[in-house]
Amino acid sequence: MNNKQKLFFCFLFIPLLQPIVGRGNTNIDSLIQIISNQTDDTNKVKSLIKLSREYLKTEPIKALSHTHRAMQLSQVLEYYSGKMDVIYVQSLIYKTKGDLDSSIFYIQKYIDMADSVSDLERTAKGYLQYGNLVRRQGHWDEATEYYAKSLKLFHEIDHLIGQISCYNSMGIVFRNRSEYDSACYYYLKSLELSEKNNYEKGIPAPLINLGKIYLHLNDYENARKYHLRSLQINQKLNNLSQVALAYTNLGIIAAKENDNVQALEYYNNALELNNQIGNIIGLNDLYINIGKIHALENNYSLALEYFNKALFAFREIEYKTGIVSAMMNAADVHAKSGRLYKAFELYDSCILLTNQTGEKEKRKEAYVHMYNTYFDVGNYLKAFEYLDKFRILNDSIYNIEKEELIANLTLKYEKEKDQARILILENENLEKDLNLRLRTNQRNVYLFTGLGIIVIIFFLFVFYHHKTKKDKIIADQKIKQLEEEKKLLAARSIVEGQEEERKRIAKELHDGLGVLLSTAKMQFTTIKDKSPENKPLIDKATKLLEQAAGDVRKISHNMMPGLLTRFGLYEAAEDLFEQLDETEGLNAGIQIIGDTRRLPENTEIMLYRVIQEMVNNTLKHAEAKNISMNMKIQPELLNIQYSDDGKGFDVEEKIESKSIGLTSIQSRVKFLEGELSTESKPGAGVSYFVQIPI
């Protein structure tokens, strides 16, 4: 029988497959026996929930009937935890059946109940399951949000299995977004955590998902390796849904390698299992894959039957990823059959849906199909328009660096596993060697014990002697530290008092003397109108009053700028530099980067005095033409760099001579518990670097 004949018989019998009766399960039989002998208490509720979970793997309908029994008994017993666990299993059952809306309804109810009693573990489980469900509906952002909530709670309660599941689910989101490097990172994190803690049930899922990534990258050898490892473990665990998924993906790999007979054998196994457990999504994914093989054999009518069957089922459960896949393949068949209008209509729908779900890989595939179809009909302008869209999208989701990163991640994982095996062997050999040495060493232990005691006593004597001396030194240091702190506190009080006094004097000058001078000026203006003969004297007096008022404002501003008290340090500094920039022959510039929210009042005043002192030093001594200042505000630090191009000076000489200007800057920076660095030399200007904790 040749390959074509084998294909014919495979295609003939696949549609006739009927749901398979569940095989015998010792766990189920054992649980049924236990339940029959239990009284109606909370333990019986737990047993019924376990039985439901066992049936969930093979017969979801029976699983649902046992959850009803468990719920009735929980209500009679007023067993709140039992009610929650029943609702969680019901959500899982509806998810397996493909009824995502019902599954979401139950999991929302579960989350509300768990949250109402502050049950962190159940709340975290609910968030994880809710994320899985909305992910199935194509809501990637919402899924990611709930995975993050779940992971945070699982970390808080140190729940290992929950963390493993979260990492795997987060990887699926990134894979659906075609961010394969990030997906690979989370899958490997889930896999490493499972293997490190000997949690066998957590190993198969990330293995399958890693295999899917390599399938997307057309690395069929690695894809097959990971799927076969997953298949072996899931068969051992009797996890039928995961076994079916592994068979499905192995079939896809075989089809990619043009081995359609092998592909159909895998699809056959997957169909049998998905029928057995009632997995609607898995079944219809298989219909699409089988339809692809029919399309390759140019049997377009039969291929369309499979695609339309899957499309109808996916629309019923609003599974957008499946809808896109079914429409894409159906559009390809219509294009090959010459029904271009129908093909373009379906391709457009696919692009629209992938824009909604964020599935870039599917959208990229649609662009390729649109390009090929337009090219075949001679519409080259449209063809290259879609080719350009494909290139832009492809560049955004895939590059050589990502492929290398994925390869490096998995290589590192495999290498660490090999090193772990070597370490186990080394430890075994070391243990044997240690046992031999132990018998020898025991003879020497008693001999050296007495000597050891003498040595210990000697060292204890030396230790306590040194400790006594050290304690005395520490005590002296603490006394000195307290004295320094008192001095610093006194200095702080003096500086704060000085600033308060400056503020008071500035206010008195501005609000008292300033107002009086302004009032006097107004009086002179009135007299001028009434005594024209004294106009020259009155004008002269008015100018003197204006000058006096200006001097008062200037003195008041220097003592305590109004902008500083009203709007803060950054506004006052900008105003100061604007005034400097207006000075003839001087260019002044300031740049402020970061969050300019207000600082504590004393801090702002001290910093403004530091800046004022730097500016005064430049104006009095430097003969500079350019001044610049950069202020960079970080969450916990404020960095200030002030520079001028003036005459400069010898820094060490200024420090030794205790220059008033430099000493003032240093004392204020020290007051703020900051650091000051000064760089200057004669003829090369000066730069101050100030770092203040905020």
Side-chain angles (χ1 to χ4, degrees), residues 275-337:
N275 266 305
Q276 186 174 332
I277 62 177
N279 185 349
I280 294 173
I281 291 175
L283 275 172
N284 287 282
D285 279 337
L286 282 164
Y287 291 151
I288 291 173
N289 292 329
I290 295 166
K292 287 180 182 179
I293 294 180
H294 283 297
L296 288 172
E297 293 291 310
N298 297 325
N299 191 345
Y300 297 140
S301 59
L302 190 54
L304 279 174
E305 284 185 27
Y306 278 101
F307 296 148
N308 289 331
K309 185 176 182 180
L311 181 59
F312 177 79
F314 285 140
R315 279 177 172 161
E316 283 284 306
I317 61 174
E318 296 182 357
Y319 182 43
K320 292 180 181 178
T321 300
I323 292 169
V324 170
S325 185
M327 286 199 302
M328 191 89 72
N329 285 284
D332 195 29
V333 169
H334 284 301
K336 289 176 181 176
S337 304

Side-chain angles (χ1 to χ4, degrees), residues 361-374:
E361 198 67 43
K362 293 285 187 184
R363 197 183 325 146
K364 189 176 74 170
E365 187 181 341
Y367 288 153
V368 172
H369 285 300
M370 291 288 265
Y371 161 74
N372 288 329
T373 308
Y374 275 119

Side-chain angles (χ1 to χ4, degrees), residues 74-96:
S74 296
Q75 288 172 338
V76 170
L77 298 171
E78 295 183 353
Y79 180 33
Y80 197 76
S81 295
K83 293 179 189 178
M84 287 192 288
D85 291 338
V86 169
I87 289 169
Y88 182 81
V89 175
Q90 287 174 333
S91 176
L92 293 179
I93 294 169
Y94 283 110
K95 176 188 171 186
T96 302

Side-chain angles (χ1 to χ4, degrees), residues 569-628:
L569 171 66
Y570 307 114
E571 289 284 348
E574 285 180 338
D575 180 65
L576 175 61
F577 271 75
E578 284 176 9
Q579 292 178 28
L580 290 171
D581 195 45
E582 292 172 1
T583 305
E584 187 176 349
L586 182 64
N587 293 321
I590 183 170
Q591 184 180 25
I592 300 174
I593 300 170
D595 184 0
T596 56
R597 71 181 65 182
R598 292 293 299 267
L599 302 175
E601 185 179 25
N602 284 338
T603 302
E604 289 189 333
I605 293 170
M606 287 295 104
L607 284 171
Y608 188 78
R609 297 299 180 208
V610 168
I611 295 166
Q612 270 188 325
E613 193 61 48
M614 292 174 181
V615 170
N616 287 339
N617 288 346
T618 297
L619 296 177
K620 289 178 181 178
H621 311 295
E623 298 178 8
K625 293 182 179 179
N626 295 287
I627 302 174
S628 67

